[in-house]
Amino acid sequence: GAVVSQHPSWVICKSGTSVKIECRSLDFQATTMFWYRQFPKQSLMLMATSNEGSKATYEQGVEKDKFLINHASLTLSTLTVTSAHPEDSSFYICSASQSRGMDTQYFGPGTRLTVL
Amino acid sequence: TQLLEQSPQFLSIQEGENLTVYCNSSSVFSSLQWYRQEPGEGPVLLVTVVTGGEVKKLKRLTFQFGDARKDSSLHITAAQPGDTGLYLCAGYGAGSYQLTFGKGTKLSVIP
């Protein structure tokens, strides 16, 4: 149980284009979903927290107009990287939990984004 | 800011050896989780510890939460090549809904 999927698993795009990444909880309802990014040989850095039906809360330094997050249902959240640039290349990982509190987070397999 | 310091950062050992990885903080954490991450994949939850002094075992892995809930350790007995990976500790600070991650310990077990 508690499986989270991400799609796509990897994507290569040209600079200036937008990329959408999907995060799905497959066997549970995710009240809260989180988006992280991880640079090579570094740990996970939280980008934003989204609760179903409300606007995402972004961490300091994360541009909300560049990283659009939608959490329209209890099983799906999307992250859209708008006007991507090479510095946005990273490993993006989502996680999901069943409550808004300090609940266990289940992580997706990640999406490798490469911007040329 | 609640920080989690993991040590060692890198660890390379022979198959069959024992090892311990540490996760320390000056802050109190209401719960602490250990994850294992392989290259190109997301972290996989190994265990959650909640009570100070708690010890949990998962086959050859033993997890301990410090009495003051400021530190934790992961001990692996008779390590195997399949244990190779990045081990991350993460915790919820008191009153925080944000999961704070340590930088991880990269373990390599050589056959």
Side-chain angles (χ1 to χ4, degrees), chain B residues 7-8 11-14 16-22 60-62 73-80 83-84 87 105-109:
Chain B
S7 62
L11 188 56
S12 181
I13 61 171
Q14 292 291 131
E17 292 184 350
N18 302 333
L19 67 113
T20 302
V21 174
Y22 300 93
R60 293 177 293 100
L61 278 61
T62 302
S73 63
L74 157 61
H75 183 79
I76 301 179
T77 303
Q80 298 177 1
D83 296 327
T84 294
Y87 289 83
T105 293
K106 187 167 185 179
L107 171 65
S108 296
V109 182

Side-chain angles (χ1 to χ4, degrees), chain B residues 2-72:
Chain B
Q2 295 161 320
L3 298 175
L4 281 169
E5 301 283 347
Q6 282 189 245
S7 62
Q9 192 175 354
F10 300 97
L11 188 56
S12 181
I13 61 171
Q14 292 291 131
E15 181 177 358
E17 292 184 350
N18 302 333
L19 67 113
T20 302
V21 174
Y22 300 93
C23 178
N24 296 304
S25 176
S26 58
S27 304
V28 174
F29 284 82
S30 56
S31 70
L32 208 139
Q33 288 143 30
W34 284 93
Y35 294 86
R36 180 164 155 261
Q37 184 181 24
E38 300 201 34
E41 298 182 12
V44 175
L45 179 67
L46 296 174
V47 77
T48 298
V49 286
V50 178
T51 307
E54 183 176 4
V55 177
K56 282 191 174 180
K57 292 193 175 184
L58 184 65
K59 296 183 180 178
R60 293 177 293 100
L61 278 61
T62 302
F63 305 86
Q64 186 163 8
F65 202 12
D67 292 340
R69 292 186 290 141
K70 292 183 179 181
D71 55 86
S72 181

